[in-house]
């Protein structure tokens, strides 16, 4: 997973710069958190599948197998 990129302020920010940066940082944090959450959920699902395979368990209903 790549690191999240956050907006940076210019050396002498105006009020408009502050407002735009505030909104951009908020959006970036939401996107980063969603990507992190998806990565964690994917890892947990992969490990659960591996555990079921190792113990000879059957796939969940509706999994296509």
């Amino acid at each position: 997973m790549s690191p999240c990129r956050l907006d940076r302020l210019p050396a002498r920010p105006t009020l408009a710069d502050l407002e735009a940066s505030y909104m951009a940082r908020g959006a970036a944090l939401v996107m980063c958190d969603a990507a992190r959450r998806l990565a964690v959920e994917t890892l947990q699902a992969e490990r659960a599948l591996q555990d079921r395979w190792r113990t000879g368990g059957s796939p969940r209903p509706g999994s296509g197998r």
Side-chain angles (χ1 to χ4, degrees):
M1 195 164 106
S2 61
C4 297
R5 187 162 185 249
L6 294 177
D7 193 46
R8 300 190 97 181
L9 290 170
R12 294 178 186 247
T14 64
L15 180 57
D17 292 330
L18 292 171
E19 289 174 349
S21 183
Y22 180 77
M23 295 300 290
R25 281 184 180 219
L29 286 171
V30 168
M31 287 175 37
C32 186
D33 187 56
R36 181 202 55 80
R37 209 169 324 133
L38 179 61
V40 169
E41 289 172 5
T42 300
L43 178 64
Q44 289 172 336
E46 286 175 352
R47 288 189 177 166
L49 284 170
Q50 291 170 351
D51 290 344
R52 278 202 304 273
W53 179 78
R54 281 188 205 104
T55 60
S58 60
R60 287 188 294 199
S63 66
R65 293 186 71 194

